[in-house]
Amino acid sequence: MQPLYGLIGITLTHSFSPAYFKKKFAAQHIDASYEAFPIPYIRALPALLENHPNLVGLNVTIPYKEAVIPYLDETDAVAQEIGAVNCIVIKNGKKKGYNTDAGAFEQSLITSLTPHHTHALILGTGGSSKTVAFVLEQLGIPYRKVSQNKKDGLLTYEELTRELIAEHTLIINTTPVGMYPNIDTAPSIPYYAVGEDHLLYDLIYNPEETKFLHLGKERGAAIKNGFEMLQLQAEASWDLWSANMQMPE
């Protein structure tokens, strides 16, 4: 039976991964396929696996990077520390979770960092925000998280002042706000306080320039979207999967 790889999430119509991996399989003459599997609830995962016994690898996207963990048999050390999984290797019926987002985000971010990017704001509190926080800790960059709801240790969007924005010159959007098709939306931060010393990084890659990035660019900030990170995490996922499959001679 042909090995099957896939992507689980909710809205996957415009996802990058299926076309990316199908092109990779064709170029390397690999007898495998890749499909998008939109599931309405994470509890649908066991049925998906039962219905597709040839599944040997999965990518995980919003909103299941945290919720998928209880359905796994094991997680690697990085995924366990972060508390989020975006790649699953399925071998001999066992499901092991990995986080390839962390390394990908770090590689993508460091090429844009300058010495004055000393403090960060992380917009959002989901699985992707945990990955970003992990990387910032590794890089020694202090950060504050911003949430829509008031919680201990978190800022709310209403609490973001000109002074806070000025101090936090690295602002990273980990939310889906501004993602296609809702391209006219953006996280509610005081963009008037953004300036030339800022770097705005959006994990979203579709559209290429979100409203968040556009508003930052208008204020002179450096901007970067999530496309490079997406490619890097996909390659890291492939490295994990290919180590567990028979490659052509």
Side-chain angles (χ1 to χ4, degrees), residues 2-60:
Q2 186 187 56
L4 175 63
Y5 300 84
L7 171 69
I8 59 170
I10 289 184
T11 305
L12 305 177
T13 308
H14 300 278
S15 295
F16 156 92
S17 297
Y20 182 85
F21 281 108
K22 287 175 182 177
K23 183 178 179 180
K24 175 177 283 290
F25 294 158
Q28 298 186 17
H29 305 289
I30 296 168
D31 182 25
S33 59
Y34 191 107
E35 295 181 23
F37 296 107
I39 54 176
Y41 308 101
I42 192 60
R43 61 178 179 270
L45 179 59
L48 174 69
L49 295 172
E50 185 176 347
N51 293 333
H52 298 85
N54 55 329
L55 264 171
V56 292
L58 284 170
N59 287 126
V60 185

Short mmCIF file of all heavy atoms in Angstrom, two decimals, residues 2-60:
data_model
loop_
_atom_site.label_atom_id
_atom_site.label_comp_id
_atom_site.label_asym_id
_atom_site.label_seq_id
_atom_site.Cartn_x
_atom_site.Cartn_y
_atom_site.Cartn_z
N GLN A 2 0.54 2.22 -0.82
CA GLN A 2 1.34 3.44 -0.95
C GLN A 2 1.36 4.23 0.36
O GLN A 2 0.33 4.46 0.97
CB GLN A 2 0.74 4.31 -2.04
CG GLN A 2 1.57 5.55 -2.36
CD GLN A 2 0.85 6.47 -3.33
OE1 GLN A 2 -0.27 6.89 -3.07
NE2 GLN A 2 1.50 6.76 -4.45
N PRO A 3 2.55 4.63 0.84
CA PRO A 3 2.62 5.44 2.05
C PRO A 3 1.86 6.75 1.88
O PRO A 3 1.93 7.39 0.82
CB PRO A 3 4.11 5.70 2.24
CG PRO A 3 4.79 4.63 1.44
CD PRO A 3 3.89 4.34 0.29
N LEU A 4 1.14 7.15 2.90
CA LEU A 4 0.33 8.36 2.86
C LEU A 4 0.78 9.32 3.97
O LEU A 4 0.99 8.91 5.11
CB LEU A 4 -1.15 8.00 3.06
CG LEU A 4 -2.14 9.16 3.17
CD1 LEU A 4 -2.18 9.99 1.90
CD2 LEU A 4 -3.54 8.61 3.48
N TYR A 5 0.94 10.58 3.60
CA TYR A 5 1.24 11.64 4.54
C TYR A 5 0.10 12.65 4.47
O TYR A 5 -0.66 12.68 3.50
CB TYR A 5 2.57 12.32 4.20
CG TYR A 5 3.75 11.38 4.23
CD1 TYR A 5 4.05 10.58 3.12
CD2 TYR A 5 4.54 11.27 5.36
CE1 TYR A 5 5.12 9.70 3.15
CE2 TYR A 5 5.61 10.39 5.39
CZ TYR A 5 5.90 9.61 4.29
OH TYR A 5 6.95 8.73 4.32
N GLY A 6 -0.02 13.49 5.49
CA GLY A 6 -1.12 14.43 5.45
C GLY A 6 -0.99 15.57 6.43
O GLY A 6 -0.03 15.67 7.20
N LEU A 7 -1.99 16.43 6.37
CA LEU A 7 -2.07 17.62 7.21
C LEU A 7 -3.42 17.64 7.90
O LEU A 7 -4.46 17.47 7.24
CB LEU A 7 -1.92 18.88 6.35
CG LEU A 7 -2.18 20.23 7.02
CD1 LEU A 7 -1.09 20.55 8.03
CD2 LEU A 7 -2.27 21.33 5.96
N ILE A 8 -3.44 17.83 9.23
CA ILE A 8 -4.70 17.97 9.94
C ILE A 8 -4.84 19.38 10.49
O ILE A 8 -3.88 20.00 10.92
CB ILE A 8 -4.86 16.93 11.08
CG1 ILE A 8 -3.75 17.06 12.12
CG2 ILE A 8 -4.96 15.53 10.52
CD1 ILE A 8 -3.99 16.23 13.38
N GLY A 9 -6.05 19.87 10.42
CA GLY A 9 -6.39 21.21 10.89
C GLY A 9 -7.88 21.40 10.64
O GLY A 9 -8.61 20.43 10.43
N ILE A 10 -8.33 22.63 10.62
CA ILE A 10 -9.74 22.90 10.34
C ILE A 10 -9.93 23.45 8.94
O ILE A 10 -10.58 22.83 8.10
CB ILE A 10 -10.34 23.85 11.40
CG1 ILE A 10 -10.47 23.12 12.74
CG2 ILE A 10 -11.72 24.33 10.96
CD1 ILE A 10 -11.14 23.93 13.84
N THR A 11 -9.36 24.61 8.63
CA THR A 11 -9.51 25.21 7.31
C THR A 11 -8.22 25.02 6.53
O THR A 11 -7.23 25.69 6.79
CB THR A 11 -9.83 26.71 7.44
OG1 THR A 11 -10.98 26.87 8.28
CG2 THR A 11 -10.11 27.33 6.08
N LEU A 12 -8.25 24.08 5.56
CA LEU A 12 -7.03 23.69 4.88
C LEU A 12 -7.09 23.91 3.38
O LEU A 12 -6.20 23.46 2.65
CB LEU A 12 -6.74 22.20 5.16
CG LEU A 12 -6.66 21.80 6.63
CD1 LEU A 12 -6.44 20.30 6.76
CD2 LEU A 12 -5.55 22.57 7.34
N THR A 13 -8.09 24.62 2.90
CA THR A 13 -8.31 24.78 1.46
C THR A 13 -7.10 25.38 0.75
O THR A 13 -6.75 24.97 -0.35
CB THR A 13 -9.54 25.67 1.20
OG1 THR A 13 -10.65 25.15 1.95
CG2 THR A 13 -9.89 25.69 -0.28
N HIS A 14 -6.47 26.35 1.38
CA HIS A 14 -5.36 27.05 0.73
C HIS A 14 -4.01 26.71 1.38
O HIS A 14 -3.08 27.51 1.35
CB HIS A 14 -5.59 28.56 0.78
CG HIS A 14 -6.84 28.99 0.08
ND1 HIS A 14 -6.91 29.16 -1.28
CD2 HIS A 14 -8.09 29.25 0.55
CE1 HIS A 14 -8.13 29.53 -1.62
NE2 HIS A 14 -8.87 29.59 -0.53
N SER A 15 -3.92 25.52 1.94
CA SER A 15 -2.70 25.13 2.64
C SER A 15 -1.54 24.91 1.68
O SER A 15 -1.71 24.42 0.56
CB SER A 15 -2.94 23.87 3.47
OG SER A 15 -3.87 24.12 4.49
N PHE A 16 -0.37 25.23 2.17
CA PHE A 16 0.88 25.11 1.42
C PHE A 16 1.33 23.66 1.26
O PHE A 16 1.86 23.27 0.22
CB PHE A 16 1.92 25.94 2.18
CG PHE A 16 3.36 25.57 1.96
CD1 PHE A 16 4.12 26.19 0.99
CD2 PHE A 16 3.99 24.63 2.78
CE1 PHE A 16 5.45 25.89 0.81
CE2 PHE A 16 5.32 24.32 2.61
CZ PHE A 16 6.05 24.95 1.61
N SER A 17 1.14 22.85 2.29
CA SER A 17 1.80 21.55 2.39
C SER A 17 1.45 20.54 1.29
O SER A 17 2.36 19.88 0.76
CB SER A 17 1.54 20.93 3.77
OG SER A 17 2.08 21.75 4.78
N PRO A 18 0.17 20.34 0.94
CA PRO A 18 -0.11 19.30 -0.07
C PRO A 18 0.65 19.50 -1.38
O PRO A 18 1.28 18.56 -1.88
CB PRO A 18 -1.63 19.41 -0.26
CG PRO A 18 -2.13 19.91 1.06
CD PRO A 18 -1.07 20.88 1.52
N ALA A 19 0.61 20.68 -1.95
CA ALA A 19 1.30 20.92 -3.21
C ALA A 19 2.82 20.80 -3.04
O ALA A 19 3.52 20.28 -3.91
CB ALA A 19 0.94 22.30 -3.77
N TYR A 20 3.31 21.28 -1.90
CA TYR A 20 4.75 21.24 -1.64
C TYR A 20 5.27 19.81 -1.62
O TYR A 20 6.28 19.48 -2.27
CB TYR A 20 5.04 21.93 -0.31
CG TYR A 20 6.51 22.00 0.06
CD1 TYR A 20 7.31 23.03 -0.42
CD2 TYR A 20 7.08 21.05 0.90
CE1 TYR A 20 8.65 23.11 -0.07
CE2 TYR A 20 8.42 21.12 1.24
CZ TYR A 20 9.19 22.14 0.75
OH TYR A 20 10.52 22.20 1.09
N PHE A 21 4.59 18.95 -0.88
CA PHE A 21 5.08 17.58 -0.75
C PHE A 21 4.80 16.75 -2.00
O PHE A 21 5.61 15.88 -2.37
CB PHE A 21 4.48 16.92 0.49
CG PHE A 21 5.17 17.34 1.75
CD1 PHE A 21 4.55 18.19 2.66
CD2 PHE A 21 6.45 16.90 2.05
CE1 PHE A 21 5.19 18.59 3.82
CE2 PHE A 21 7.11 17.29 3.20
CZ PHE A 21 6.47 18.14 4.08
N LYS A 22 3.70 17.01 -2.68
CA LYS A 22 3.45 16.29 -3.93
C LYS A 22 4.54 16.60 -4.96
O LYS A 22 5.00 15.72 -5.69
CB LYS A 22 2.07 16.65 -4.47
CG LYS A 22 0.93 16.02 -3.68
CD LYS A 22 -0.44 16.48 -4.16
CE LYS A 22 -1.54 15.88 -3.31
NZ LYS A 22 -2.89 16.35 -3.71
N LYS A 23 4.97 17.87 -5.00
CA LYS A 23 6.05 18.26 -5.90
C LYS A 23 7.36 17.58 -5.49
O LYS A 23 8.12 17.11 -6.33
CB LYS A 23 6.20 19.78 -5.88
CG LYS A 23 7.26 20.31 -6.85
CD LYS A 23 7.30 21.83 -6.81
CE LYS A 23 8.36 22.36 -7.76
NZ LYS A 23 8.42 23.85 -7.73
N LYS A 24 7.62 17.53 -4.19
CA LYS A 24 8.83 16.87 -3.69
C LYS A 24 8.83 15.38 -4.04
O LYS A 24 9.84 14.84 -4.50
CB LYS A 24 8.94 17.06 -2.18
CG LYS A 24 10.11 16.31 -1.55
CD LYS A 24 10.22 16.57 -0.07
CE LYS A 24 10.84 17.91 0.20
NZ LYS A 24 12.28 17.94 -0.16
N PHE A 25 7.69 14.71 -3.84
CA PHE A 25 7.60 13.28 -4.14
C PHE A 25 7.85 13.03 -5.63
O PHE A 25 8.55 12.08 -6.01
CB PHE A 25 6.22 12.74 -3.74
CG PHE A 25 5.97 12.76 -2.26
CD1 PHE A 25 4.67 12.74 -1.77
CD2 PHE A 25 7.00 12.80 -1.34
CE1 PHE A 25 4.41 12.74 -0.42
CE2 PHE A 25 6.76 12.81 0.02
CZ PHE A 25 5.46 12.79 0.48
N ALA A 26 7.26 13.88 -6.47
CA ALA A 26 7.43 13.69 -7.91
C ALA A 26 8.89 13.92 -8.32
O ALA A 26 9.45 13.14 -9.10
CB ALA A 26 6.52 14.65 -8.67
N ALA A 27 9.51 14.96 -7.78
CA ALA A 27 10.89 15.29 -8.15
C ALA A 27 11.87 14.20 -7.72
O ALA A 27 12.86 13.94 -8.42
CB ALA A 27 11.29 16.62 -7.52
N GLN A 28 11.59 13.55 -6.58
CA GLN A 28 12.49 12.53 -6.06
C GLN A 28 12.02 11.11 -6.38
O GLN A 28 12.59 10.13 -5.89
CB GLN A 28 12.65 12.71 -4.55
CG GLN A 28 13.26 14.05 -4.16
CD GLN A 28 13.55 14.17 -2.68
OE1 GLN A 28 13.61 13.18 -1.95
NE2 GLN A 28 13.75 15.40 -2.21
N HIS A 29 10.99 11.01 -7.22
CA HIS A 29 10.46 9.71 -7.65
C HIS A 29 10.11 8.83 -6.45
O HIS A 29 10.45 7.64 -6.39
CB HIS A 29 11.46 8.98 -8.56
CG HIS A 29 11.88 9.81 -9.74
ND1 HIS A 29 11.05 10.09 -10.80
CD2 HIS A 29 13.05 10.44 -10.00
CE1 HIS A 29 11.69 10.85 -11.68
NE2 HIS A 29 12.90 11.09 -11.21
N ILE A 30 9.43 9.43 -5.51
CA ILE A 30 9.02 8.72 -4.29
C ILE A 30 7.58 8.28 -4.44
O ILE A 30 6.70 9.07 -4.78
CB ILE A 30 9.18 9.62 -3.05
CG1 ILE A 30 10.66 9.96 -2.84
CG2 ILE A 30 8.60 8.97 -1.81
CD1 ILE A 30 10.89 11.06 -1.83
N ASP A 31 7.33 7.02 -4.21
CA ASP A 31 5.98 6.46 -4.32
C ASP A 31 5.22 6.72 -3.03
O ASP A 31 5.16 5.87 -2.13
CB ASP A 31 6.05 4.96 -4.61
CG ASP A 31 4.66 4.35 -4.79
OD1 ASP A 31 3.73 5.09 -5.17
OD2 ASP A 31 4.51 3.13 -4.52
N ALA A 32 4.67 7.92 -2.91
CA ALA A 32 3.92 8.31 -1.72
C ALA A 32 2.95 9.41 -2.11
O ALA A 32 3.07 10.02 -3.18
CB ALA A 32 4.86 8.79 -0.62
N SER A 33 1.99 9.67 -1.25
CA SER A 33 1.04 10.75 -1.50
C SER A 33 0.84 11.57 -0.24
O SER A 33 1.18 11.14 0.87
CB SER A 33 -0.30 10.18 -1.99
OG SER A 33 -0.85 9.30 -1.04
N TYR A 34 0.28 12.76 -0.43
CA TYR A 34 0.06 13.71 0.67
C TYR A 34 -1.31 14.33 0.48
O TYR A 34 -1.64 14.82 -0.60
CB TYR A 34 1.14 14.78 0.67
CG TYR A 34 1.17 15.66 1.91
CD1 TYR A 34 2.17 15.51 2.86
CD2 TYR A 34 0.21 16.64 2.12
CE1 TYR A 34 2.22 16.32 3.99
CE2 TYR A 34 0.24 17.44 3.25
CZ TYR A 34 1.25 17.28 4.18
OH TYR A 34 1.29 18.07 5.30
N GLU A 35 -2.12 14.34 1.56
CA GLU A 35 -3.47 14.88 1.47
C GLU A 35 -3.76 15.80 2.66
O GLU A 35 -3.18 15.64 3.74
CB GLU A 35 -4.51 13.75 1.46
CG GLU A 35 -4.45 12.83 0.26
CD GLU A 35 -5.53 11.77 0.30
OE1 GLU A 35 -6.55 11.99 1.01
OE2 GLU A 35 -5.36 10.72 -0.34
N ALA A 36 -4.65 16.74 2.43
CA ALA A 36 -5.16 17.58 3.51
C ALA A 36 -6.36 16.89 4.13
O ALA A 36 -7.25 16.42 3.43
CB ALA A 36 -5.56 18.95 2.98
N PHE A 37 -6.38 16.82 5.45
CA PHE A 37 -7.48 16.17 6.18
C PHE A 37 -8.10 17.18 7.16
O PHE A 37 -7.72 17.23 8.33
CB PHE A 37 -6.98 14.95 6.95
CG PHE A 37 -6.45 13.84 6.10
CD1 PHE A 37 -5.08 13.60 6.02
CD2 PHE A 37 -7.30 13.03 5.36
CE1 PHE A 37 -4.58 12.57 5.24
CE2 PHE A 37 -6.81 12.01 4.57
CZ PHE A 37 -5.45 11.77 4.51
N PRO A 38 -9.05 17.99 6.68
CA PRO A 38 -9.74 18.89 7.61
C PRO A 38 -10.63 18.09 8.55
O PRO A 38 -11.45 17.28 8.11
CB PRO A 38 -10.56 19.79 6.69
CG PRO A 38 -10.74 19.01 5.44
CD PRO A 38 -9.55 18.12 5.30
N ILE A 39 -10.43 18.25 9.85
CA ILE A 39 -11.27 17.56 10.82
C ILE A 39 -11.88 18.60 11.76
O ILE A 39 -11.20 19.52 12.20
CB ILE A 39 -10.49 16.48 11.61
CG1 ILE A 39 -9.23 17.06 12.27
CG2 ILE A 39 -10.12 15.31 10.71
CD1 ILE A 39 -8.47 16.06 13.14
N PRO A 40 -13.18 18.48 12.05
CA PRO A 40 -13.86 19.51 12.84
C PRO A 40 -13.46 19.51 14.30
O PRO A 40 -13.57 20.54 14.98
CB PRO A 40 -15.33 19.17 12.66
CG PRO A 40 -15.35 17.70 12.39
CD PRO A 40 -14.09 17.42 11.62
N TYR A 41 -13.01 18.35 14.80
CA TYR A 41 -12.61 18.22 16.21
C TYR A 41 -11.41 17.29 16.26
O TYR A 41 -11.30 16.34 15.49
CB TYR A 41 -13.74 17.65 17.08
CG TYR A 41 -15.05 18.38 16.93
CD1 TYR A 41 -16.07 17.85 16.14
CD2 TYR A 41 -15.27 19.59 17.58
CE1 TYR A 41 -17.28 18.52 15.99
CE2 TYR A 41 -16.47 20.27 17.45
CZ TYR A 41 -17.48 19.73 16.65
OH TYR A 41 -18.66 20.39 16.50
N ILE A 42 -10.53 17.51 17.23
CA ILE A 42 -9.35 16.65 17.34
C ILE A 42 -9.73 15.22 17.70
O ILE A 42 -9.02 14.28 17.36
CB ILE A 42 -8.34 17.22 18.36
CG1 ILE A 42 -6.99 16.49 18.25
CG2 ILE A 42 -8.89 17.17 19.78
CD1 ILE A 42 -6.32 16.60 16.90
N ARG A 43 -10.89 15.06 18.33
CA ARG A 43 -11.31 13.69 18.68
C ARG A 43 -11.64 12.85 17.44
O ARG A 43 -11.84 11.64 17.55
CB ARG A 43 -12.50 13.72 19.64
CG ARG A 43 -13.76 14.38 19.11
CD ARG A 43 -14.87 14.28 20.15
NE ARG A 43 -16.10 14.92 19.72
CZ ARG A 43 -16.41 16.18 19.95
NH1 ARG A 43 -15.58 16.95 20.64
NH2 ARG A 43 -17.56 16.70 19.52
N ALA A 44 -11.66 13.48 16.26
CA ALA A 44 -11.86 12.74 15.02
C ALA A 44 -10.57 12.09 14.52
O ALA A 44 -10.61 11.31 13.56
CB ALA A 44 -12.41 13.67 13.94
N LEU A 45 -9.45 12.37 15.18
CA LEU A 45 -8.17 11.83 14.72
C LEU A 45 -8.10 10.31 14.74
O LEU A 45 -7.66 9.71 13.75
CB LEU A 45 -7.02 12.43 15.54
CG LEU A 45 -5.62 11.93 15.17
CD1 LEU A 45 -5.28 12.22 13.72
CD2 LEU A 45 -4.57 12.55 16.11
N PRO A 46 -8.53 9.62 15.81
CA PRO A 46 -8.46 8.16 15.79
C PRO A 46 -9.22 7.53 14.62
O PRO A 46 -8.73 6.57 14.00
CB PRO A 46 -9.08 7.76 17.13
CG PRO A 46 -8.81 8.93 18.02
CD PRO A 46 -8.96 10.13 17.13
N ALA A 47 -10.38 8.06 14.29
CA ALA A 47 -11.15 7.54 13.16
C ALA A 47 -10.42 7.78 11.85
O ALA A 47 -10.41 6.92 10.95
CB ALA A 47 -12.54 8.18 13.13
N LEU A 48 -9.77 8.94 11.73
CA LEU A 48 -9.00 9.24 10.52
C LEU A 48 -7.88 8.22 10.35
O LEU A 48 -7.66 7.69 9.25
CB LEU A 48 -8.42 10.65 10.63
CG LEU A 48 -7.44 11.07 9.52
CD1 LEU A 48 -8.18 11.23 8.20
CD2 LEU A 48 -6.73 12.36 9.89
N LEU A 49 -7.18 7.92 11.43
CA LEU A 49 -6.08 6.95 11.36
C LEU A 49 -6.60 5.55 11.04
O LEU A 49 -5.98 4.79 10.28
CB LEU A 49 -5.32 6.94 12.69
CG LEU A 49 -4.59 8.24 13.05
CD1 LEU A 49 -4.04 8.19 14.46
CD2 LEU A 49 -3.47 8.53 12.05
N GLU A 50 -7.73 5.21 11.60
CA GLU A 50 -8.32 3.89 11.34
C GLU A 50 -8.75 3.75 9.88
O GLU A 50 -8.58 2.69 9.27
CB GLU A 50 -9.52 3.67 12.26
CG GLU A 50 -10.13 2.28 12.15
CD GLU A 50 -11.25 2.05 13.15
OE1 GLU A 50 -11.40 2.88 14.08
OE2 GLU A 50 -11.97 1.05 12.99
N ASN A 51 -9.27 4.85 9.33
CA ASN A 51 -9.74 4.81 7.94
C ASN A 51 -8.61 4.90 6.92
O ASN A 51 -8.83 4.63 5.73
CB ASN A 51 -10.72 5.96 7.69
CG ASN A 51 -12.02 5.79 8.46
OD1 ASN A 51 -12.43 4.67 8.77
ND2 ASN A 51 -12.68 6.90 8.79
N HIS A 52 -7.43 5.29 7.37
CA HIS A 52 -6.27 5.41 6.48
C HIS A 52 -5.08 4.68 7.12
O HIS A 52 -4.15 5.31 7.63
CB HIS A 52 -5.92 6.87 6.22
CG HIS A 52 -7.01 7.64 5.54
ND1 HIS A 52 -8.05 8.22 6.23
CD2 HIS A 52 -7.22 7.92 4.22
CE1 HIS A 52 -8.85 8.83 5.37
NE2 HIS A 52 -8.38 8.65 4.15
N PRO A 53 -5.09 3.36 7.09
CA PRO A 53 -4.03 2.59 7.75
C PRO A 53 -2.65 2.79 7.13
O PRO A 53 -1.65 2.40 7.74
CB PRO A 53 -4.50 1.14 7.60
CG PRO A 53 -5.44 1.16 6.44
CD PRO A 53 -6.10 2.49 6.46
N ASN A 54 -2.59 3.39 5.95
CA ASN A 54 -1.29 3.63 5.31
C ASN A 54 -0.71 5.00 5.67
O ASN A 54 0.32 5.40 5.13
CB ASN A 54 -1.42 3.52 3.79
CG ASN A 54 -2.49 4.43 3.20
OD1 ASN A 54 -3.49 4.72 3.85
ND2 ASN A 54 -2.30 4.84 1.96
N LEU A 55 -1.34 5.73 6.61
CA LEU A 55 -0.78 7.00 7.07
C LEU A 55 0.49 6.75 7.87
O LEU A 55 0.49 6.00 8.84
CB LEU A 55 -1.79 7.75 7.95
CG LEU A 55 -2.65 8.82 7.28
CD1 LEU A 55 -3.74 9.30 8.24
CD2 LEU A 55 -1.80 10.00 6.82
N VAL A 56 1.58 7.40 7.46
CA VAL A 56 2.86 7.22 8.15
C VAL A 56 3.42 8.55 8.68
O VAL A 56 4.43 8.56 9.38
CB VAL A 56 3.89 6.54 7.24
CG1 VAL A 56 3.50 5.09 6.97
CG2 VAL A 56 4.06 7.30 5.92
N GLY A 57 2.76 9.65 8.33
CA GLY A 57 3.22 10.94 8.82
C GLY A 57 2.15 12.00 8.69
O GLY A 57 1.39 12.00 7.73
N LEU A 58 2.10 12.89 9.67
CA LEU A 58 1.14 13.99 9.65
C LEU A 58 1.80 15.29 10.06
O LEU A 58 2.64 15.32 10.95
CB LEU A 58 -0.02 13.70 10.61
CG LEU A 58 -1.08 12.69 10.21
CD1 LEU A 58 -1.99 12.39 11.40
CD2 LEU A 58 -1.91 13.20 9.02
N ASN A 59 1.39 16.35 9.40
CA ASN A 59 1.65 17.70 9.90
C ASN A 59 0.40 18.16 10.65
O ASN A 59 -0.71 17.72 10.35
CB ASN A 59 1.94 18.68 8.76
CG ASN A 59 3.30 18.47 8.14
OD1 ASN A 59 3.43 18.30 6.94
ND2 ASN A 59 4.35 18.50 8.96
N VAL A 60 0.60 19.03 11.62
CA VAL A 60 -0.49 19.52 12.46
C VAL A 60 -0.48 21.04 12.41
O VAL A 60 0.55 21.66 12.64
CB VAL A 60 -0.35 19.05 13.92
CG1 VAL A 60 -1.56 19.48 14.74
CG2 VAL A 60 -0.15 17.54 13.98
#
